[in-house]
Amino acid sequence: MRKIFQIKRQRVQENEMISRRANLKSRVKEQMIFLFFILLIVIPYIMNIVYSLPSADDFSMAKHYDLSSNILMEAFRQADRMYMEWTGEWFYSFVQTLINPLVLFGYSSKMLGVELAVLFILYIGAIILCTGMIAEKILGCERTGEIYLIQLSVLLIVLNTGIYYEVYYWFIGSSYMLEITLSLVCVVLIIKYHDKQSWKSAVLLSIIGFFTCNGIMVVSLICLVYLAMFLPDVVRKQRRLYSFVPFLFCLAGGLFAVAAPGNYRRHNSLDGTGIHIGEAVKNTLYVGILHLYQNFSNELIGMLLLTIVVISYLYARKHMGKIRHTNFLRSVLFFLIVMFFVIFPVTLGYSSADMPNRMQYMINTYMALGLGYLCVDAGLIRGSYMGSRSFDERLSLLALLALFVGFYVGPLSHGSIGLTPYAQQIVCHSETAACHDEWVSVLDEIKHSKNMDVEVLRTEAASSPLL
């Protein structure tokens, strides 16, 4: 009897082991497919970024260098100068000086493009990490095919909101990409600290949060996410007030940036009549509505948002009764408040509703991430409130067919897919490479000329829509 029991137990263990191996193989397969699509999306951007050219502000920043001094000390000096004369973003000015490729490698080196490509890869990694962690938290599960599809959809949305030549292909402008990258890392750290209450997470969040919040457009997102996660727990007395220490560091980083004398000197150079809060509020609402309309009128983005809703809906139907969704109106309100405080500092500083390309990048990126979150929530809510509790596979096929038809009728049918930023990375690559080579030759001609005043003669100047 004991022998029979041992044999049965051994068979059970063998079956469990086989099942684990099968699950592991399936998971590895999903991860490899996911990585393949990430590379398919990202590589065309990198192929153009490496051909980036130095711009006027890159030379201007490099011009202030004292090459006889230590580069680290020079980075501190330049950051202090910018803080007093131009901007409160001390940390980002420090980084711009410390790794300025014009000073480190010269204007003709491809290292300018390599540095920008590294920053872009870190940015993509932060989007994938942050959206994956939030999707896991909302869906209440480990990485699954649904989460990978949501991550890919959000990434495609973010990269197709516009062509950001002032960010991806411009070294000084890349600080805005670094701001978003670090802000998403902060969101990940906030979630981890909320879940585990580790002192290591608290210290890391406090340090990274302080320097990240030197970016005036990112401080609102980080602080509002922190409050949304921790404040209800403190009110319910489930956490103590010391859990807000990292929040205070993040807030201090933002206040340090706002207090910079350079902000007010710069504003006076743009608008000497003073600061107009009422006008800034009006401009903020206008800019927010305009960007929201532009994103929704983009057929590719509209279909990708609908895809996220369908994925979340089908997941909720498949796991009926296990899905925890938030109050949708509360989520919408949170999204609107975050977007308002992302845009408001810019309209206040510029005294205008005209947004430079780099500001459009910041607004559209946060808007895309926020809309992705709302679409996940909307799909889960709709799926959870359906009457039937059984998952019908025919429903899944019908939803996929509807998406396929939608993509065909929308961005695929009349060729607008070819005008998307992703398609432009492929179509304009040869122009970008030729433009880079010609302008480097122009700079070489200037450098090697014996004259103080140099006239460069060309029948026509090379250009690229991306640079």
Side-chain angles (χ1 to χ4, degrees):
M1 208 49 193
R2 186 182 293 175
K3 195 171 183 180
I4 293 170
F5 178 74
Q6 286 176 345
I7 291 169
K8 285 184 177 179
R9 188 176 178 182
Q10 190 175 351
R11 284 178 180 172
V12 169
Q13 288 175 344
E14 286 175 356
N15 288 335
E16 285 178 355
M17 193 175 293
I18 291 168
S19 177
R20 279 198 212 106
R21 284 176 183 170
N23 288 335
L24 183 61
K25 282 183 181 179
S26 176
R27 199 172 297 175
V28 169
K29 187 178 178 181
E30 282 184 349
Q31 288 172 349
M32 294 302 292
I33 294 171
F34 177 63
L35 180 61
F36 169 77
F37 279 106
I38 291 292
L39 293 174
L40 193 65
I41 294 167
V42 171
I43 284 175
Y45 285 87
I46 294 174
M47 287 175 64
N48 289 296
I49 288 171
V50 294
Y51 285 103
S52 296
L53 288 160
S55 296
D57 281 10
D58 297 327
F59 284 106
S60 178
M61 182 71 78
K63 183 184 72 172
H64 291 282
Y65 266 74
D66 178 4
L67 295 175
S68 64
S69 69
N70 177 281
I71 193 168
L72 182 62
M73 297 308 297
E74 188 64 14
F76 278 106
R77 189 179 74 82
Q78 293 287 358
D80 291 344
R81 180 184 65 82
M82 292 291 284
Y83 185 81
M84 297 303 295
E85 297 177 5
W86 194 248
T87 176
E89 299 187 342
W90 185 94
F91 172 71
Y92 300 100
S93 298
F94 175 83
V95 173
Q96 285 172 356
T97 309
L98 187 66
I99 63 171
N100 191 312
L102 282 179
V103 175
L104 297 176
F105 310 109
Y107 65 83
S108 61
S109 171
K110 282 281 181 68
M111 286 305 295
L112 169 70
V114 170
E115 279 194 19
L116 288 171
V118 169
L119 289 171
F120 181 76
I121 291 167
L122 293 174
Y123 166 64
I124 297 298
I127 292 173
I128 293 167
L129 179 65
C130 188
T131 52
M133 180 165 280
I134 292 172
E136 280 183 40
K137 197 164 182 65
I138 298 174
L139 270 56
C141 67
E142 294 181 358
R143 295 294 166 104
T144 61
E146 288 89 350
I147 290 178
Y148 291 139
L149 285 171
I150 289 170
Q151 286 175 293
L152 288 172
S153 298
V154 170
L155 183 61
L156 279 169
I157 291 169
V158 169
L159 292 177
N160 283 284
T161 54
I163 293 175
Y164 302 112
Y165 45 83
E166 288 188 357
V167 178
Y168 299 156
Y169 317 97
W170 179 26
F171 174 71
I172 297 301
S174 68
S175 62
Y176 296 94
M177 181 163 56
L178 182 60
E179 286 182 30
I180 288 187
T181 301
L182 290 175
S183 71
L184 297 181
V185 170
C186 284
V187 171
V188 170
L189 290 173
I190 290 168
I191 294 171
K192 284 189 172 182
Y193 180 51
H194 181 269
D195 291 348
K196 296 182 179 178
Q197 284 285 293
S198 162
W199 67 269
K200 289 182 181 179
S201 297
V203 171
L204 196 61
L205 176 58
S206 298
I207 295 170
I208 295 177
F210 176 81
F211 289 109
T212 302
C213 287
N214 275 182
I216 295 175
M217 290 182 77
V218 305
V219 62
S220 59
L221 171 76
I222 295 168
C223 289
L224 288 169
V225 167
Y226 201 105
L227 288 173
M229 295 198 71
F230 281 84
L231 193 57
D233 292 346
V234 171
V235 171
R236 290 192 293 262
K237 297 184 178 179
Q238 294 174 348
R239 295 182 193 273
R240 296 188 178 179
L241 283 173
Y242 66 74
S243 62
F244 273 90
V245 170
F247 169 80
L248 295 176
F249 274 91
C250 295
L251 186 61
L255 293 174
F256 176 73
V258 170
N263 289 329
Y264 306 98
R265 287 190 181 184
R266 184 178 186 179
H267 182 271
N268 287 336
S269 70
L270 296 170
D271 181 8
T273 64
I275 294 174
H276 309 287
I277 295 177
E279 192 68 22
V281 170
K282 193 191 305 180
N283 287 335
T284 299
L285 295 175
Y286 170 77
V287 170
I289 292 168
L290 177 65
H291 281 74
L292 199 61
Y293 170 76
Q294 288 173 343
N295 283 319
F296 274 118
S297 60
N298 183 320
E299 292 174 331
L300 179 62
I301 290 176
M303 286 309 304
L304 287 168
L305 289 172
L306 184 58
T307 300
I308 295 173
V309 173
V310 170
I311 293 166
S312 305
Y313 168 78
L314 293 174
Y315 185 85
R317 299 286 295 142
K318 198 171 182 179
H319 301 84
M320 188 63 71
K322 298 178 183 178
I323 300 300
R324 294 178 302 162
H325 51 77
T326 59
N327 183 301
F328 188 68
L329 289 177
R330 195 183 302 159
S331 297
V332 171
L333 181 62
F334 179 79
F335 167 74
L336 294 175
I337 292 171
V338 168
M339 289 311 306
F340 178 87
F341 284 107
V342 165
I343 302 168
F344 179 74
V346 187
T347 57
L348 185 66
Y350 279 110
S351 293
S352 171
D354 294 329
M355 295 289 104
N357 181 264
R358 57 194 180 276
M359 299 306 171
Q360 294 174 25
Y361 159 79
M362 297 285 287
I363 295 165
N364 282 331
T365 302
Y366 282 135
M367 189 169 283
L369 293 168
L371 290 172
Y373 170 79
L374 291 178
C375 286
V376 172
D377 216 26
L380 294 179
I381 290 170
R382 183 61 184 162
S384 299
Y385 283 109
M386 291 293 286
S388 172
R389 293 193 170 269
S390 61
F391 178 75
D392 190 347
E393 290 186 2
R394 289 173 299 179
L395 185 67
S396 176
L397 293 172
L398 186 63
L400 292 174
L401 180 62
L403 285 175
F404 178 79
V405 171
F407 270 103
Y408 179 75
V409 172
L412 293 175
S413 63
H414 46 76
S416 66
I417 194 76
L419 301 175
T420 60
Y422 177 75
Q424 290 295 296
Q425 303 300 317
I426 300 166
V427 172
C428 299
H429 175 68
S430 58
E431 288 178 77
T432 302
C435 180
H436 170 273
D437 293 344
E438 181 166 337
W439 281 102
V440 167
S441 75
V442 168
L443 292 170
D444 280 335
E445 192 173 326
I446 296 169
K447 181 182 180 181
H448 295 123
S449 173
K450 294 179 180 179
N451 302 319
M452 288 301 294
D453 296 323
V454 184
E455 182 180 2
V456 178
L457 300 176
R458 294 287 190 279
T459 54
E460 57 182 47
S463 64
S464 166
L466 303 181
L467 301 183

